[in-house]
Amino acid sequence: MSENCFHCGLPVPAGVHFPIRYRQQEEAACCAGCQAVANTIIQSGLADYYQHRTEGAARAEALPSAVLEQIKLYDAEELQQSFVHRGNGEEREAALMLEGITCAACIWLNEQHLRRLPGVLAVDINYSTQRARVRWDNSRIQLSAILQAVADIGYRAHPYDAERQEKLQQKERKQALTRLKKHRTKKNPGQMVGADSTDRPEAD
């Protein structure tokens, strides 16, 4: 029987060895990406995430170089005008949307991780909309570093855009439905998904 990845829950391929040290035990990861993200979370003092999450995380993948370069562009003031509010002095506040949120533990993890960054003043993430408000001191930390920190723990942060947010929420709903179907199939392997008692017509 194949072992599942400690971080994302996918099967670990045969012959693959990417160990994760979690609370004095060695856990398996399916790839170097999941190993790196899990180690970042644990070494940041946020290992409780794995105890409280109710859904597996998405499989971690390294950001393409093109995306890394795009993240750096968001430090330019002209690109920040549509989603960053300028406060007193060097204070800035951005409206962001997060990708990869699957449960309340994901919100806790992102908030705790960002609040520990030097220069970040406040973080508030809405679970239902996955919209984040992040306030920081621009003389101490740049927006690109905040976006990179989100990526380091396996999520993606984008400037808030209403149309893109709607598409993202549709995508997340489909993924949630897929996870529910897989859970039902595992629980009742002989039962067809969607054929539970709530879907059957009542007998005459």
Side-chain angles (χ1 to χ4, degrees):
M1 186 175 181
S2 64
E3 193 172 13
N4 291 335
C5 177
F6 175 71
H7 180 71
C8 73
L10 293 177
V12 176
V16 166
H17 186 60
F18 294 105
I20 298 168
R21 192 70 179 171
Y22 175 72
R23 294 184 174 172
Q24 311 306 316
Q25 292 186 344
E26 185 176 289
E27 305 288 351
C30 66
C31 63
C34 282
Q35 181 192 46
V37 168
N39 284 336
T40 297
I41 291 171
I42 294 168
Q43 292 168 11
S44 297
L46 300 170
D48 283 350
Y49 160 72
Y50 289 110
Q51 179 181 349
H52 298 299
R53 66 177 178 172
T54 57
E55 296 284 351
R59 182 172 182 174
E61 297 180 357
L63 290 179
S65 57
V67 175
L68 292 173
E69 290 301 316
Q70 184 183 38
I71 285 177
K72 294 178 182 178
L73 293 176
Y74 285 124
D75 291 335
E77 291 188 2
E78 56 268 26
L79 291 183
Q80 294 183 2
Q81 290 179 358
S82 63
F83 66 97
V84 174
H85 171 72
R86 295 172 63 94
N88 296 327
E90 291 294 320
E91 188 176 299
R92 304 285 187 272
E93 182 176 301
L96 305 172
M97 54 186 185
L98 297 183
E99 186 175 350
I101 300 296
T102 59
C103 65
C106 296
I107 300 295
W108 176 86
L109 174 62
N110 277 273
E111 288 183 338
Q112 294 297 318
H113 185 58
L114 293 181
R115 285 170 182 165
R116 297 181 184 206
L117 298 177
V120 170
L121 305 176
V123 181
D124 181 52
I125 304 174
N126 185 293
Y127 175 59
S128 61
T129 64
Q130 300 178 13
R131 183 174 180 176
R133 289 201 170 276
V134 183
R135 187 157 47 88
W136 73 95
D137 182 342
N138 206 48
S139 67
R140 299 178 61 199
I141 189 170
Q142 297 291 298
L143 178 58
S144 60
I146 296 173
L147 300 179
Q148 180 64 60
V150 173
D152 287 344
I153 55 172
Y155 301 85
R156 298 286 182 90
H158 311 279
Y160 179 78
D161 176 87
E163 183 177 349
R164 185 172 184 175
Q165 179 78 3
E166 177 59 28
K167 291 180 180 179
L168 177 60
Q169 288 181 331
Q170 289 177 359
K171 176 183 175 182
E172 296 290 349
R173 284 194 291 268
K174 289 180 180 179
Q175 291 176 339
L177 182 59
T178 299
R179 289 194 297 270
L180 177 60
K181 288 180 178 179
K182 288 181 179 178
H183 175 72
R184 286 185 175 182
T185 301
K186 285 183 178 180
K187 191 174 182 181
N188 302 294
Q191 177 180 322
M192 291 181 60
V193 174
D196 57 25
S197 60
T198 59
D199 296 326
R200 299 192 188 103
E202 294 182 2
D204 292 331

